[in-house]
Amino acid sequence: MSYVIASPQQASVPVKGTYLRFPVRRIYCVGRNYADHVVEMGGIPGREPPFFFQKPADALLLDENFPYPSASNNVHHEVELVVALHSGGKNLAVEDASRHIYGYAVGIDMTRRDLQGEAKKAGRPWETAKSFDHSAPIGVITPKSDIGALESAKIMLHVNDEPRQNANISEMIWSVPEIISELSKLFMLNAGDIIFTGTPSGVGPIQPGDRVRASIAEIGELNLRVCKPS
Ligand code: MN
C-alpha cells in the first residue's frame, strides 16, 4: 500500500519485562465510576449504566514531561486503572470479559475542568475538555499473565509528595469485567483497545512546576513533571 503522505505513527505503549510494545487502537474512558468522585462532582452515586467517552490514541503521553495545555486555567489530574485488550468482540458476557485482558497500566485522564464545566452547562460534547494532545499520560503495561486478574489494589496520586487521591480499585461502581461487557454492547471491541476505568475522589488542579506521582499496587508508578506550555 502506498500513501500520498507519510503514514502517521502507530500509537503504542511499552510492556514491562520486554522490548516489545502494545499497539493502541482506541482509548475508551469511563465516567463516574467511584462513588466518592461522583459526589465531589455534584452527582448522586448509583448503578446507572456507565457512560463512556474516547480520547484519540495519539493523546497518549509516554514522556515524563506533561506540557500544560492551551486554553485552560484549571487542568485536573484523574488517576485511573487502564486495561489493555488483546482481543474483543461485541455483547461480551461479564463472565467471559476478563479473558480479553492483555494487561494493566497506570494512567491519568487529564481534564480541562473549566472547559468541561462549560460543555456540561451548554450540553456540548467533552472533546476539548478530555481529548486534547497529551491528555492521556500512561505507564508501562504489566501483562495479566504476570499478576492475574486485578480485582483489588491501592490506587494513589501525589502532587509534590502530598497525597491527593487514595482509594482501592475494588471501590469501582462498575467492575472491570462489567465495564468491558457494557462497552461491548455499544462498540465492537478489538485487540489494541485500552480502557481508562474511572477515577476515585480527590481530583484537583495541577500547575507548571508540579511533580505528579500516580501509582497502583502491583502495577507500578507513573511520574510526571508539569511543564509550561510550549
Ligand atoms: Mn476520568
Side-chain angles (χ1 to χ4, degrees):
M1 175 87 68
S2 297
Y3 297 103
V4 295
I5 60 166
S7 192
Q9 217 184 342
Q10 168 69 55
S12 66
V13 181
V15 174
K16 195 186 276 181
T18 163
Y19 291 110
L20 301 176
R21 299 176 75 93
F22 181 93
V24 176
R25 175 181 174 263
R26 290 183 184 171
I27 305 175
Y28 293 104
C29 303
V30 184
R32 298 192 199 119
N33 201 28
Y34 290 79
D36 290 352
H37 175 60
V38 175
V39 172
E40 78 178 345
M41 296 305 290
I44 300 158
R47 282 274 291 185
E48 291 156 36
F51 73 92
F52 303 98
F53 58 91
Q54 289 188 45
K55 292 176 188 260
D58 69 354
L60 289 172
L61 176 70
L62 299 160
D63 194 86
E64 63 186 18
N65 294 307
F66 170 73
Y68 198 91
S70 62
S72 178
N73 293 308
N74 194 19
V75 174
H76 278 203
H77 56 76
E78 297 190 354
V79 62
E80 309 201 0
L81 171 68
V82 182
V83 177
L85 305 183
H86 60 61
S87 55
K90 52 181 166 182
N91 298 318
L92 303 173
V94 173
E95 312 79 63
D96 289 338
S98 287
R99 72 182 172 84
H100 298 286
I101 299 172
Y102 173 78
Y104 304 96
V106 183
I108 305 177
D109 167 15
M110 290 291 190
T111 303
R112 286 166 166 151
R113 194 69 76 203
D114 39 7
L115 299 195
Q116 187 192 31
E118 290 168 20
K120 282 180 179 174
K121 238 185 275 168
R124 289 185 184 146
W126 286 6
E127 258 75 9
T128 57
K130 289 289 197 180
S131 309
F132 55 92
D133 295 337
H134 317 302
S135 61
I138 190 168
V140 298
I141 292 176
T142 299
K144 191 178 78 170
S145 55
D146 289 0
I147 57 168
L150 202 63
E151 285 162 12
S152 163
K154 243 192 171 337
I155 179 168
M156 298 183 76
L157 185 138
H158 290 75
V159 177
N160 304 327
D161 297 323
E162 258 177 49
R164 291 269 191 95
Q165 296 187 267
N166 183 1
N168 196 296
I169 61 163
S170 61
E171 294 164 38
M172 285 182 188
I173 296 170
W174 293 85
S175 70
V176 169
E178 288 172 335
I179 289 167
I180 294 170
S181 174
E182 289 294 318
L183 195 53
S184 76
K185 295 175 186 172
L186 296 162
F187 301 95
M188 173 78 160
L189 298 180
N190 266 291
D193 292 343
I194 67 174
I195 307 167
F196 280 63
T197 57
T199 196
S201 63
V203 301
I206 50 172
Q207 303 295 338
D210 284 346
R211 284 175 295 108
V212 179
R213 184 171 81 248
S215 64
I216 300 177
E218 300 205 60
I219 297 177
E221 273 189 14
L222 166 59
N223 287 284
L224 294 179
R225 235 173 53 89
V226 183
C227 303
K228 288 212 166 70
S230 49

